[in-house]
Amino acid sequence: MSPVVNTNLKLMKSFGVFLLLAPLWLSAQIINDSPFIPGVASLAYAYTALPTDNPLSLFINPAQITNFNGHSSLSMAFTPGRIRIHWINESFYLNPAAVVFGKRLETHPTVAWAIGYFRNTYSANSDQLQENLAAVTVGCQLTWHAEFNIGYSYRTSDFQVTSSIPELSIAKQRYQSQDYGLQVILPIAGQTMKPANQGVFGMQPSFNMALGYAILNETVKNSNNELVVPKHGNAGIAFDFRLQGEYHQQPIHWLQVVWSSEAQENLELLPDSLGSHFASSPQRMRVWRNVVLGKPGYRVDNHVGWQITFAETFAYGEGIIRHLYRYFDGYHQSKTYTTGYVLETKGLFSWAVANWPKPPLTYMAEHLELRYVSSQYWAKSA
């Protein structure tokens, strides 16, 4: 749970006039096209492959919904954020929230299912631009030598712009879209996502690799049955290293280091006999160049980030988004940097239970986890 998030974004001044004259483009880029979700911002949204139990991650890859610990899980997240554009003295507010319930089958504990709900409201200072987005996500997981996750989301969005300039006003419209996601978590050394109680100094290392793939904004249409928001194809790779052990018989991850890189392709709009349609899958993405090496390409952005966590109490992470755009004098690259930290109670509860093993504390350690997340954005062009 992430009760408070302070998020800042500085955009390039050269886009100022365009942002002011195109609020629909701004909303599409921040909400539908490249979602700005404060609770998962510090790693540059590189969560297509990187496993996380953060409910907000299902908006990036719906396959994340089954990444929960234990036999059953109920998790919630609420992370209000603000995008501050200093040079036009304007702020845009977001209020993403999500709830996920997951459970493993009694007779087959290697099989799990989950269902979740996500919503996000977006508005400007002047209240002239508003968007309300909601999504329902379902997913399942199969564990057999590795963890295989699959997820599906159905989204609706109501969008409206009210302006003193009639040409800029947009009547309330509803958009509908679908997301599909896959994720595979491969244990390379140690046990995947499981605490260990033996090894050097009571700690045992584990090392996992994860692969992810997602199609976002499938068949995005408005109430007039028009294609309006770009469709995305994302592919990523991630690595997770942990030192696991026990503290007074309480399992704990003393150290966790994660790294994630992914490519996000803005799929092309292709003509057909009925008008046009988006490409069904990435066409320009190259796995080695865009995903592994972290280089952007035309219509293909690269997102890469890392995070280090100490004793399940404090985490710090950084990320970068590389975007290649075409101008009149050729191609240029813009970079958006992200940074953030997380304070969580899981490690503190483990320490408290080890010293005072009383029923209220033991129950809280097993069923309750709170997180405070703070993230920042800033951008520049090369």
Side-chain angles (χ1 to χ4, degrees), residues 62-316:
Q64 295 276 16
I65 194 172
T66 47
N67 283 318
F68 60 88
N69 296 316
H71 182 74
S72 61
S73 173
L74 176 64
S75 57
M76 294 174 286
F78 173 62
T79 59
R82 182 182 71 165
I83 303 175
R84 176 67 172 167
I85 305 179
H86 297 277
W87 43 269
I88 61 173
N89 193 29
E90 180 66 285
S91 292
F92 301 90
Y93 297 91
L94 304 98
N95 290 283
V99 57
V100 171
F101 175 76
K103 189 175 181 63
R104 300 192 182 278
L105 300 184
E106 296 282 353
T107 56
H108 298 84
T110 58
V111 179
W113 61 269
I115 184 170
Y117 173 78
F118 174 95
R119 65 102 174 136
N120 190 14
T121 59
Y122 172 81
S123 62
N125 257 347
S126 57
D127 291 329
Q128 292 182 339
L129 187 152
Q130 291 185 332
E131 181 171 30
N132 298 306
L133 183 147
V136 176
T137 303
V138 295
C140 63
Q141 179 190 86
L142 173 64
T143 302
W144 185 73
H145 300 293
E147 294 180 6
F148 301 88
N149 300 319
I150 184 171
Y152 166 81
S153 292
Y154 177 79
R155 286 192 276 163
T156 61
S157 176
D158 294 322
F159 180 82
Q160 183 178 7
V161 176
T162 303
S163 175
S164 57
I165 305 176
E167 291 78 10
L168 297 182
S169 296
I170 300 175
K172 185 176 181 180
Q173 298 184 17
R174 167 160 289 194
Y175 307 95
Q176 301 175 351
S177 65
Q178 305 173 74
D179 302 337
Y180 308 91
L182 299 171
Q183 187 183 61
V184 181
I185 306 172
L186 304 167
I188 298 177
Q191 299 180 0
T192 174
M193 298 299 185
K194 304 289 194 256
N197 56 12
Q198 59 185 357
V200 181
F201 302 112
M203 295 185 291
Q204 178 179 342
S206 68
F207 185 56
N208 302 327
M209 180 178 73
L211 305 173
Y213 179 79
I215 295 293
L216 306 180
N217 297 331
E218 173 71 49
T219 62
V220 178
K221 296 183 178 181
N222 61 8
S223 52
N224 297 324
N225 202 35
E226 299 171 327
L227 293 170
V228 290
V229 179
K231 176 180 173 183
H232 277 262
N234 303 343
I237 185 172
F239 296 95
D240 182 338
F241 172 80
R242 305 185 186 195
L243 284 178
Q244 307 166 109
E246 288 188 348
Y247 177 75
H248 290 266
Q249 299 182 342
Q250 292 296 318
I252 189 171
H253 295 144
W254 292 107
L255 179 69
Q256 180 185 16
V257 181
V258 299
W259 177 89
S260 181
S261 177
E262 64 182 60
Q264 299 186 6
E265 179 173 337
N266 187 350
L267 300 183
E268 295 186 71
L269 192 62
L270 306 174
D272 58 26
S273 58
L274 299 178
S276 60
H277 68 279
F278 287 108
S280 59
S281 60
Q283 307 292 316
R284 299 176 179 271
M285 183 187 301
R286 299 296 179 263
V287 174
W288 179 254
R289 174 180 174 83
N290 303 130
V291 178
V292 179
L293 297 183
K295 296 181 179 180
Y298 179 58
R299 302 183 71 92
V300 181
D301 294 347
N302 171 260
H303 297 230
V304 62
W306 62 269
Q307 180 172 281
I308 183 170
T309 306
F310 300 97
E312 297 180 289
T313 303
F314 174 78
Y316 175 81

